[in-house]
């Protein structure tokens, strides 16, 4: 995470996960406005579009520095650049994808990753039948090739899309090869050293949360 500038915040602090999530929402919205030809936007317009309190939007965007003007708003190109810089996506991010199943193939087809600077540079799978196959222009390689692949591509990120019982072993290989961040789709809790960042996406858990909210809404008042 990036540290806030002490001159604008009265002291250094780290962004919370909730703040980072909102920054991603802001970026999607203002990039869309910019692509539609708009040149400026106000915090109230951003908040109204995303269902976020206006005061919270102003507080969040103040973290980016003095990029807005009272009564005028934010110049969109400057705001987009500041958000991308804050999120760390003002440069390319090569990534390795481990586990070449249906989920991985769907991820490879999603072009939104490339628009945001994320590029899959290598595919890894332990299945001998898949090794050597060409998928989306990449050759599937064995896990033993990971150190060589990471060194050659300078990949700092990895996506794990393997069964739960294989995920920790894969994560250990990735860490030892030098990966600094892991997006985990495997339905298990990974144990990683402090210097490696982890984001887990368990779709079953998300559906359980959704079911709970729907169930709660059907309960007695």
């Amino acid at each position: 995470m990036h540290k806030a500038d002490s001159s604008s915040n009265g002291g250094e602090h780290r962004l919370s996960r909730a703040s980072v999530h909102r920054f991603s929402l802001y970026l999607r919205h203002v990039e869309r406005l910019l692509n539609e030809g708009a040149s400026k936007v106000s915090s109230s317009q951003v908040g109204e579009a995303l269902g976020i309190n206006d005061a919270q939007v102003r507080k969040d965007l103040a973290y980016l520095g003095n990029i807005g003007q009272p009564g005028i708003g934010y110049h969109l190109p400057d705001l987009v650049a500041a958000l991308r810089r804050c999120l760390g996506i003002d440069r390319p991010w090569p990534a390795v994808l481990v586990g070449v199943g249906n989920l991985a193939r769907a991820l490879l087809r999603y072009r939104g990753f490339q628009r945001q600077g994320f590029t899959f540079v290598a595919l890894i799978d332990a299945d001998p039948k898949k090794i050597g196959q060409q998928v989306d222009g990449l050759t599937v390689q064995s896990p033993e090739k990971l150190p060589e692949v990471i060194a050659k591509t300078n990949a700092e990120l990895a996506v794990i899309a393997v069964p739960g019982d294989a995920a920790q072993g894969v994560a250990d290989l990735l860490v030892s090869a030098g990966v600094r961040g892991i997006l985990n789709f495997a339905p298990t809790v990974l144990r990683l050293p402090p210097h490696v960042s982890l984001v887990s996406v368990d779709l079953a858990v998300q559906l359980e949360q959704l079911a709970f909210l729907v169930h709660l809404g059907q309960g007695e008042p």
Side-chain angles (χ1 to χ4, degrees), residues 190-201:
L190 297 180
R191 307 296 180 186
L192 302 177
H195 71 278
V196 179
S197 299
L198 171 68
V199 173
S200 293
V201 181

Side-chain angles (χ1 to χ4, degrees), residues 3-221:
K3 286 187 176 182
D5 182 84
S6 58
S7 62
S8 61
N9 294 278
E12 292 187 344
H13 68 276
R14 291 183 181 274
L15 285 173
S16 66
R17 278 281 182 92
S19 297
V20 173
H21 177 70
R22 289 193 299 271
F23 278 127
S24 291
L25 295 179
Y26 299 152
L27 179 60
R28 299 294 183 280
H29 180 62
V30 298
E31 282 185 328
R32 180 177 63 80
L33 293 177
L34 186 61
N35 290 335
E36 291 174 352
S39 61
K40 291 184 174 62
V41 69
S42 68
S43 59
S44 60
Q45 289 171 327
V46 173
E48 183 178 357
L50 299 176
I52 300 174
N53 182 273
D54 182 20
Q56 182 65 64
V57 175
R58 290 197 304 272
K59 180 181 178 182
D60 287 338
L61 297 185
Y63 178 92
L64 303 175
N66 298 320
I67 61 171
Q69 296 180 336
I72 298 177
Y74 301 89
H75 184 54
L76 279 174
D78 292 343
L79 181 55
V80 168
L83 285 167
R84 293 184 68 87
R85 186 165 56 250
C86 177
L87 291 168
I89 56 172
D90 55 340
R91 68 174 180 91
W93 284 94
V96 173
L97 179 54
V98 185
V100 190
N102 291 332
L103 174 58
R105 292 169 191 269
L107 294 173
L108 287 168
R109 288 193 296 269
Y110 177 59
R111 300 309 173 192
F113 292 135
Q114 289 187 346
R115 288 195 298 270
Q116 295 305 108
F118 302 102
T119 303
F120 289 117
V121 294
L123 303 179
I124 304 294
D125 201 288
D127 186 349
K129 296 179 181 178
K130 294 179 180 179
I131 295 172
Q133 289 184 1
Q134 289 281 318
V135 180
D136 205 49
L138 296 171
T139 302
V140 180
Q141 303 182 67
S142 69
E144 290 75 17
K145 295 285 188 178
L146 263 175
E148 177 184 338
V149 166
I150 299 301
K152 182 178 179 179
T153 62
N154 294 315
E156 299 176 72
L157 307 181
V159 177
I160 293 179
V162 301
D165 58 358
Q168 185 63 58
V170 167
D172 293 341
L173 285 174
L174 289 167
V175 171
S176 64
V179 164
R180 297 172 53 208
I182 293 175
L183 178 62
N184 175 41
F185 282 96
T188 190
V189 177
L190 297 180
R191 307 296 180 186
L192 302 177
H195 71 278
V196 179
S197 299
L198 171 68
V199 173
S200 293
V201 181
D202 191 324
L203 299 180
V205 169
Q206 300 303 316
L207 281 173
E208 288 169 5
Q209 296 298 305
L210 179 60
F212 169 76
L213 293 173
V214 173
H215 173 72
L216 188 66
Q218 294 174 346
E220 293 293 331

